[in-house]
DNA sequence: GCGGATCAC
DNA sequence: TATGGTGATCCGC
């Protein structure tokens, strides 16, 4: 009885295809209408058929899990419960509430940059990407259900007025550099997660900040000391920042002092919230773009918090066990970084929707999931996460992939493969790296994916060396397909890298005094 | 080590 | 007409 999901297949399938309202800016819209348009646009496509197939695989996984659950005895459960309790105690003892971790996230980053640079877009629903795929959308477009990772042609059906702007990555990278300079003032070892997002450890900054005079906590309304005529012109056109959002739930960073009254500058206090507000204020003054932030005792929590008052807001979770446990109580598991669509569906099948459920069901979970997953679930349920931010060391893999219109001719497939090898070899050369395992990933026109790999006795870096391996892998696949040709839509060449020897230099980047430094690690 | 899958951005 | 590219990790062989 309880291993039979009550949802129909269609309802279940929605979790994969339908509107993802996990993101901010999606509240109170007509979900049903949006979903029916999405389904209508997708139905019958190769992509849709493949998603259906993957969804059925997930359903089978869930069925298997439910069978396993049905076989669990009271004795097993009791034993597991004892272990879980022991583990919980150990984790509880390790709880560290002493660090102040901040997660910063730019609001609708790519879209906001485009709106900033093209005033006409400010009042329109718009997205950055192409008819095939959108990277992000502004908040006006989100009201129609238009979101990141949605193909543009479907977005157009949801919102016919949608303006789709092609991405300008060089511009986003430049803006990213600007905000990273500010991040560095608060934590020179901050951890960037992408162009628009980073984790910072504010602990040291706050210690120093307590002794800071007001002058160091005062920031001008614009950081541009010598505005160009173009800047002045821009100032005339708009007052300050673009009207990104009609209303913001959070706390805008520069509300307290008015421009004139305070000689064009703003004083910030010494507490965390003031420091973070100051950082967001400086970001807005420097880039005319807004950011949201979360403040918490660890990275897992800070990440969730940064989403809480998005856009243009911040949220602080106090560093007490009580506050943390209260916060986790009703938090949907899907909000936690690392729990995606599939994990959510599996947990839901067990009646687990909120993080507090994880804690209540740990004994059961420990019998159904791997040790790694379990440990993670347990930490999540207790509101635990990393309290130290460490920059990633050297990269572990490097890859290049390309999607194209159906490619069936073997000769063309080999020459494409060579192209990819050439590009990959170039990238590897740039970083002075060598590959240990060369892989070939193929996606056919039905969206089915296959990976083939070969590990080499000696690491390789040159185009010809890589191609020698990749060519063989491709040939095998073509031969295996028998008399029929491979009908490809994507080819990828992932390469796991030879880990640097002990003697090899290892560098990291850090920021200080507005400059970007390369530093040797240890 | 290999291949499939999941996840994040 | 049309559903991305890059990197990491985990699981079960």
């Amino acid at each position: 009885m309880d291993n039979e999901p009550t949802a129909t297949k269609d309802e279940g399938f929605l979790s994969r295809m339908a509107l993802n309202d996990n993101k901010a800016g999606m509240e109170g819209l007509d979900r049903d209408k949006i979903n029916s348009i999405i389904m209508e646009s997708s139905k019958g496509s190769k992509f849709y058929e493949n998603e259906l197939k993957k969804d059925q695989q997930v359903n089978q996984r869930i069925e298997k899990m439910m069978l396993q659950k049905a076989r669990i005895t009271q004795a097993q459960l009791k034993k597991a419960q004892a272990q879980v309790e022991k583990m919980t105690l150990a984790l509880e003892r390790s709880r560290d509430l002493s660090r102040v971790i901040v997660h910063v996230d730019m609001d609708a980053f790519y879209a906001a940059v485009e709106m900033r640079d093209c005033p006409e877009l400010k009042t329109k629903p718009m997205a950055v990407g192409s008819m095939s795929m959108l990277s992000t959308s502004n908040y006006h477009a989100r009201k129609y259900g238009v979101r990141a990772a949605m193909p543009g042609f479907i977005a157009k059906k949801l919102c016919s007025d949608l303006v789709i702007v092609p991405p300008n990555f060089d511009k986003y990278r430049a803006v990213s550099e600007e905000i990273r300079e500010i991040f560095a003032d608060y934590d020179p070892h901050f951890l960037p997660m992408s162009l628009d997002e980073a984790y910072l450890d504010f602990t040291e900054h706050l210690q120093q900040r307590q002794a800071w005079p007001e002058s160091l906590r005062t920031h001008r309304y614009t950081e541009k000391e010598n505005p160009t005529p173009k800047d002045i012109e821009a100032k005339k056109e708009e007052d300050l920042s673009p009207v990104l959002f009609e209303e913001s739930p959070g706390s805008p960073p520069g509300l307290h002092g008015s421009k004139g009254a305070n000689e064009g500058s703003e004083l910030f206090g010494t507490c965390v919230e003031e420091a973070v507000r100051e950082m967001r204020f400086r970001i807005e003054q420097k880039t005319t773009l807004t950011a949201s932030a979360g403040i918490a005792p660890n990275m897992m929590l800070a990440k969730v918090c940064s989403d809480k008052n998005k856009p243009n807001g911040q949220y602080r979770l106090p560093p007490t066990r009580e506050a943390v446990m209260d916060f986790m109580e009703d938090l949907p598991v899907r909000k936690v970084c690392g729990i995606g669509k599939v994990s959510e569906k599996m947990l839901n099948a067990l009646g687990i929707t909120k993080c507090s459920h994880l804690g209540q069901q740990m004994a059961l979970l420990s019998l159904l999931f791997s040790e790694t997953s379990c440990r993670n679930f347990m930490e999540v349920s207790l509101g635990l996460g990393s309290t130290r931010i460490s920059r990633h060391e050297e990269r572990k893999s490097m890859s290049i992939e390309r999607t194209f219109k159906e490619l069936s001719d073997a000769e063309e497939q080999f020459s494409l493969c060579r192209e990819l090898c050439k590009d990959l070899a170039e990238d590897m050369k740039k970083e002075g790296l060598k590959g240990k395992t060369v892989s070939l990933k193929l996606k056919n026109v039905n969206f089915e994916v296959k990976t083939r790999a070969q590990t080499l006795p000696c690491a390789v870096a040159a185009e010809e060396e890589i191609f020698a391996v990749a060519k063989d892998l491709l040939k095998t696949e073509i031969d295996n397909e028998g008399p029929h040709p491979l009908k490809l839509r994507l080819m990828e060449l992932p390469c796991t890298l030879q880990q640097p020897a002990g003697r090899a230099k290892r560098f990291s980047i850090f920021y200080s005094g507005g400059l970007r430094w390369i530093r040797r690690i240890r």
Side-chain angles (χ1 to χ4, degrees), chain A residues 131-339:
Chain A
M131 281 300 255
S132 302
M133 185 55 58
L134 302 181
S135 299
T136 186
S137 56
N138 70 2
Y139 279 73
H140 191 16
R142 290 184 198 190
K143 285 190 285 198
Y144 296 85
V146 174
R147 57 179 165 93
M150 174 182 279
F153 73 92
I154 292 183
K156 276 279 197 184
K157 290 187 181 172
L158 291 171
C159 171
S160 56
D161 293 337
L162 182 73
V163 179
I164 297 179
V165 179
N168 295 293
F169 285 108
D170 289 341
K171 201 150 80 172
Y172 312 145
R173 262 190 290 274
V175 179
S176 186
E177 283 299 314
E178 291 190 279
I179 63 176
R180 287 179 184 188
E181 281 174 8
I182 295 176
F183 293 162
D185 286 344
Y186 299 87
D187 176 9
H189 304 299
F190 74 92
L191 174 65
M193 298 304 291
S194 61
L195 291 182
D196 78 314
E197 205 186 309
Y199 288 96
L200 288 76
D201 186 339
F202 262 57
T203 316
E204 265 84 52
H205 169 79
L206 288 167
Q207 284 165 7
Q208 293 167 18
R209 190 181 179 90
Q210 301 315 305
W212 278 15
E214 290 193 352
S215 63
L216 289 179
R217 294 182 274 112
T218 302
H219 294 271
R220 301 190 56 77
Y221 261 92
T222 176
E223 291 197 352
K224 287 222 167 134
E225 280 162 22
N226 299 304
T228 64
K230 201 177 147 198
D231 290 328
I232 294 167
E233 205 51 41
K235 270 254 181 273
K236 280 186 206 159
E237 272 187 46
E238 46 179 308
D239 183 22
L240 184 58
S241 64
V243 185
L244 269 184
F245 324 109
E246 284 169 2
E247 51 197 70
S248 296
S251 63
L255 267 188
H256 298 249
S258 67
K259 260 186 278 186
N262 230 350
E263 292 170 19
S265 54
E266 171 119 358
L267 171 66
F268 295 87
T270 56
C271 70
V272 211
E273 282 162 295
E274 282 293 287
V276 171
R277 226 167 49 75
E278 173 188 285
M279 177 178 69
R280 292 173 45 233
F281 173 84
R282 292 176 61 196
I283 290 171
E284 185 171 356
Q285 294 312 306
K286 189 172 184 179
T287 68
T288 343
L289 302 169
T290 64
S292 297
I295 307 160
N298 65 52
M299 292 169 76
M300 185 274 291
L301 294 169
K303 167 89 181 155
V304 180
C305 287
S306 71
D307 196 50
K308 200 112 183 143
N309 283 327
K310 191 167 249 302
N312 199 13
Q314 62 185 61
Y315 181 88
R316 169 171 171 264
L317 177 57
T320 67
R321 185 180 179 280
E322 293 67 35
V324 170
M325 293 306 279
D326 278 356
F327 185 78
M328 298 312 289
E329 171 78 32
D330 289 325
L331 186 70
V333 291
R334 184 67 175 87
K335 290 281 183 187
V336 177
C337 191
I339 299 183

Side-chain angles (χ1 to χ4, degrees), chain A residues 442-454:
Chain A
L442 304 174
K443 190 190 280 182
N444 68 19
V445 291
N446 295 321
F447 289 85
E448 293 161 335
V449 177
K450 240 187 235 176
T451 309
R452 295 293 176 259
Q454 189 177 343

Side-chain angles (χ1 to χ4, degrees), chain A residues 121-134:
Chain A
L121 291 175
K122 285 173 191 172
T123 58
K124 296 178 184 169
M126 61 87 64
V128 175
S130 68
M131 281 300 255
S132 302
M133 185 55 58
L134 302 181

Side-chain angles (χ1 to χ4, degrees), chain A residues 22 119 216 300 311 371 485 507:
Chain A
N22 190 34
L216 289 179
M300 185 274 291
E371 207 181 317
F507 298 103

